[in-house]
Amino acid sequence: MTTRLSIFPLGGALLFPRMHLPLHIFEPRYRAMVSDAMARDRRIGMIQPRGGDRAKPDLFDLGCVGRIAEVEALEDGRFDIVLEGLSLFRIVRELDVTTPFRQVEADLLPTPDESEALSIAHRASLETESRRFAEAQGYAVDWDSVSRLDDEALVNGIAQIAPFDSAAKQALLEAPDLPARAELIVQLMQFFGRHDGEDRVTLQ
């Protein structure tokens, strides 16, 4: 299915179907985008820039459509919003528009009706590596709550918040299925979690 989307290029920000992403909108062009979306169908396409021109950077091909599930309009024109992921999309072409925000023609990709599952070994490996990584980084995590998450929420939640670079984040978004994404997360944690002289994990 092909559709027209207003897009929000933001490095390091991933959204997955059935997940949520809170955003603070302050740039005038993206404040206009939120106002436009609220007047239409509440949809925004989240996608990462590849780099290049900062004003109009090249884009990765794959992103995720989000529906504005919550919005708070602040007095100075900024917005706090929460996007709910609907489906992945692939850009067909960028449109020539007069709006301050960019728009594309995109193919919406099918989303499975039910969440995928990990094997017991996959789940255990992911939780073990996540604990090691979080403790080395000094993150405070409620592991009891984490253990109650279903596999999809756990894997995609980690992919959204993990402090990886844009290329690594994009690889997670483009993983073909949940087990492949979980395995890649483990590999990335091991790759990025390098120890310095004081035996602390760094992202350098």
Side-chain angles (χ1 to χ4, degrees):
M1 176 182 172
T2 302
T3 190
R4 183 185 184 118
L5 291 174
S6 302
I7 56 168
F8 187 10
L10 186 60
L14 290 191
L15 179 62
F16 291 92
R18 291 187 284 265
M19 298 296 289
H20 293 84
L21 179 66
L23 293 166
H24 178 63
I25 309 296
F26 59 91
E27 284 190 58
R29 57 182 164 170
Y30 298 125
R31 286 161 27 188
M33 178 189 66
V34 169
S35 296
D36 180 77
M38 292 301 297
R40 296 176 183 270
D41 56 11
R42 302 173 77 100
R43 295 190 312 166
I44 291 172
M46 292 301 301
I47 198 154
Q48 291 199 114
R50 286 183 185 271
D53 180 8
R54 294 189 64 184
K56 192 176 180 181
D58 293 335
L59 304 170
F60 283 103
D61 295 330
L62 191 74
C64 185
V65 183
R67 176 185 175 275
I68 299 175
E70 299 177 30
V71 60
E72 181 182 2
L74 305 177
E75 290 184 2
D76 58 2
R78 294 174 296 139
F79 292 98
D80 285 329
I81 67 173
V82 176
L83 289 182
E84 176 187 8
L86 300 179
S87 67
L88 298 182
F89 69 87
R90 193 173 299 278
I91 292 177
V92 175
R93 64 187 178 95
E94 183 157 359
L95 301 173
D96 186 12
V97 295
T98 57
T99 54
F101 48 89
R102 300 165 71 176
Q103 299 183 50
V104 299
E105 179 184 329
D107 284 335
L108 297 183
L109 306 181
T111 301
D113 291 336
E114 296 182 3
S115 62
E116 301 168 277
L118 301 179
S119 69
I120 294 174
H122 254 127
R123 172 87 184 208
S125 173
L126 179 62
E127 288 198 19
T128 298
E129 196 61 41
S130 297
R131 282 176 182 266
R132 184 180 298 127
F133 187 84
E135 288 168 6
Q137 286 292 314
Y139 297 152
V141 178
D142 181 352
W143 293 109
D144 287 339
S145 295
V146 169
S147 67
R148 291 193 292 270
L149 293 174
D150 63 41
D151 291 344
E152 183 182 57
L154 175 66
V155 173
N156 292 345
I158 292 173
Q160 285 189 183
I161 67 172
F164 304 146
D165 61 29
S166 293
K169 290 268 197 175
Q170 190 68 25
L172 290 171
L173 186 68
E174 297 186 7
D177 54 38
L178 201 68
R181 185 172 298 127
E183 187 172 335
L184 182 56
I185 287 171
V186 170
Q187 293 172 356
L188 288 169
M189 285 180 173
Q190 293 169 346
F191 175 78
F192 282 102
R194 295 172 177 162
H195 292 76
D196 64 19
E198 297 179 354
D199 200 37
R200 293 180 304 178
V201 173
T202 70
L203 296 178
Q204 303 301 318

